[in-house]
């Protein structure tokens, strides 16, 4: 298990971020395509291809590999997309992101599943829609060898004192979707912060078994999606690492902790990243102690 981080600790400046992450001691990287989404949507495929090759070159020059990528984001719902997207243009963007991931050497691209409409629908209807949508990515996945890892989310407030259910906020829903897609290049991404907001105990991570291919490691207070470093919130990290050990998780410990790093002055950012690496080493040590027990 390597210690990895999303490049979103630096916003969109990958040329600055990659060497600083290397100097801090990170062993792998996550590329956040979503951070570049507005810019990518203005590029031709030829421009995006050249851009991806440049990013790969910088990573290679620094001796770092990209082991996962956060793919494009469609919005809260499939019928409530971010500006500039509809279902067809998002599908095109998703396919392009898989080709970019292939250039970067990324094995797993993380996507959000979601509900469909503002009015809401049954879980069965949401599952069927998500299955049909993600199946459309199979030809590109099989051509590139790049897999998709679907991420758990959390229920969101709909109005004061009410909560709108979010499809795949529960592990059981996400696992059911992964199994319905039934493809070796489909797995799961555990977002520890989303699970904590949802009130899911780390013991439930064991439900993923060998489906788990990627992680978004971050902490919070159990109420807000704060994207903090471990031990800055209230997640039980010993329980998280015990569960990852028990399912023999093979992927990386990948931080999505930009809110703990971006707030630092530039003069302190590398020191903050070294501290993040030290925390990761401690967590992996916990997993190692469990293996030797």
């Amino acid at each position: 298990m390597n210690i990895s981080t999303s490049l979103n600790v630096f916003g969109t400046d990958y040329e600055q971020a990659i060497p600083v992450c290397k100097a801090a001691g990170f062993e792998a990287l996550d590329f956040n395509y979503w951070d570049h989404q507005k810019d990518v949507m203005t590029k031709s495929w030829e421009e995006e291809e050249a851009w991806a090759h440049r990013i790969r070159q910088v990573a290679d020059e620094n001796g770092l590999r990209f082991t996962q990528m956060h793919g494009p984001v469609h919005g809260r719902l499939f019928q409530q997309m971010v500006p500039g997207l509809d279902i067809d243009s998002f599908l095109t963007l998703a396919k392009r992101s898989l080709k970019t991931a292939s250039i970067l050497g990324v094995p797993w691209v993380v996507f959000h599943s979601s509900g469909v409409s503002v009015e809401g629908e049954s879980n069965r209807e949401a599952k069927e829609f998500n299955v049909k949508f993600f199946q459309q990515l199979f030809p590109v996945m099989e051509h590139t060898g790049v897999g998709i890892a679907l991420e758990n989310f959390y229920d969101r407030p709909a109005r004061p004192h009410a909560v709108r259910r979010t499809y795949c906020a529960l592990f059981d829903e996400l696992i059911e979707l992964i199994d319905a897609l039934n493809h070796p290049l489909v797995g799961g991404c555990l977002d520890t912060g989303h699970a904590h907001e949802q009130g899911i105990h780390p013991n439930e991570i064991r439900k993923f078994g060998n489906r788990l291919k990627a992680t978004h490691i971050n902490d919070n207070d159990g109420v807000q999606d704060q994207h903090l470093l471990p031990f800055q919130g209230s997640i039980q990290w010993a329980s998280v690492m015990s569960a990852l050990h028990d399912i023999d998780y093979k992927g990386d410990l990948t931080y999505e902790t930009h809110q703990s790093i971006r707030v630092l002055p530039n003069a302190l950012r590398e020191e903050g990243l070294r501290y993040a690496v030290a925390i990761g080493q401690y967590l992996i040590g916990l997993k190692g102690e469990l293996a030797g027990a």
Side-chain angles (χ1 to χ4, degrees):
M1 182 186 292
N2 290 320
I3 305 167
S4 175
T5 183
S6 170
L7 290 185
N8 65 4
V9 291
F10 281 84
T12 59
D13 190 350
Y14 66 85
E15 299 232 19
Q16 178 194 19
I18 291 172
V20 174
C21 289
K22 171 68 174 180
F26 283 100
E27 300 160 314
L29 296 172
D30 171 301
F31 187 75
N32 197 316
Y33 191 92
W34 159 240
D35 277 349
H36 300 266
Q37 183 163 309
K38 288 182 181 178
D39 180 54
V40 166
M41 288 167 60
T42 69
K43 295 181 187 292
S44 67
W45 166 245
E46 290 73 22
E47 290 171 323
E48 182 173 345
E49 185 178 25
W51 172 71
H53 279 292
R54 175 57 186 155
I55 298 166
R56 174 67 182 267
Q57 180 184 350
V58 176
D60 288 347
E61 288 169 353
N62 285 274
L64 285 174
R65 294 173 52 244
F66 288 103
T67 53
Q68 64 184 64
M69 182 172 101
H70 197 311
V73 174
H74 60 276
R76 266 186 83 168
L77 300 163
F78 278 105
Q79 292 180 1
Q80 194 178 59
M81 295 218 169
V82 297
L85 286 178
D86 57 25
I87 193 70
D88 293 327
S89 58
F90 177 66
L91 178 61
T92 298
L93 192 63
K95 290 177 178 178
R96 279 176 54 157
S97 76
L98 293 170
K99 293 193 286 184
T100 290
S102 178
I103 294 169
L104 296 178
V106 171
W108 295 98
V109 177
V110 176
F111 282 94
H112 296 170
S113 56
S114 80
V116 183
S117 65
V118 175
E119 294 76 20
E121 56 281 324
S122 69
N123 273 5
R124 179 184 60 79
E125 292 169 320
K127 182 185 76 172
E128 289 175 355
F129 187 95
N130 278 267
V131 167
K132 289 177 181 177
F133 178 83
F134 287 112
Q135 281 177 336
Q136 297 175 89
L137 299 182
F138 285 3
V140 182
M141 292 159 56
E142 290 162 359
H143 177 72
T144 59
V146 175
I148 62 172
L150 302 178
E151 178 181 356
N152 62 295
F153 224 73
Y154 57 92
D155 292 335
R156 293 181 168 188
R159 56 186 182 278
H161 313 299
V163 172
R164 179 191 172 92
R165 281 296 340 276
T166 298
Y167 180 59
C168 288
L170 302 179
F171 287 175
D172 288 342
E173 294 168 351
L174 180 56
I175 289 166
E176 182 183 43
L177 174 58
I178 293 167
D179 289 349
L181 285 161
N182 190 29
H183 194 288
L185 289 175
V186 177
C189 173
L190 166 68
D191 189 303
T192 55
H194 293 170
H196 192 45
E197 288 171 85
Q198 189 65 21
I200 297 173
H201 193 278
N203 287 344
E204 291 197 44
I205 294 169
R206 291 174 175 83
K207 292 180 175 181
F208 281 103
N210 63 7
R211 301 175 185 86
L212 192 64
K213 306 300 181 184
T215 55
H216 286 166
I217 299 296
N218 61 99
D219 209 340
N220 60 53
D221 60 4
V223 178
Q224 300 180 71
D225 197 22
Q226 295 167 305
H227 293 282
L228 303 175
L229 282 165
F231 305 109
Q232 293 180 349
S234 52
I235 292 176
Q236 299 176 31
W237 287 101
S239 297
V240 171
M241 300 312 294
S242 176
L244 292 177
H245 165 263
D246 286 352
I247 64 173
D248 195 24
Y249 171 62
K250 300 293 188 184
D252 289 342
L253 195 74
T254 301
Y255 285 136
E256 198 179 53
T257 55
H258 41 286
Q259 300 294 10
S260 287
I261 303 299
R262 286 185 189 173
V263 295
L264 298 173
N266 286 336
L268 293 177
R269 193 164 292 176
E270 188 169 334
E271 191 64 36
L273 290 169
R274 282 196 290 267
Y275 173 61
V277 169
I279 292 172
Q281 290 169 338
Y282 175 80
L283 291 174
I284 290 173
L286 288 179
K287 188 170 181 285
E289 288 175 11
L290 291 163

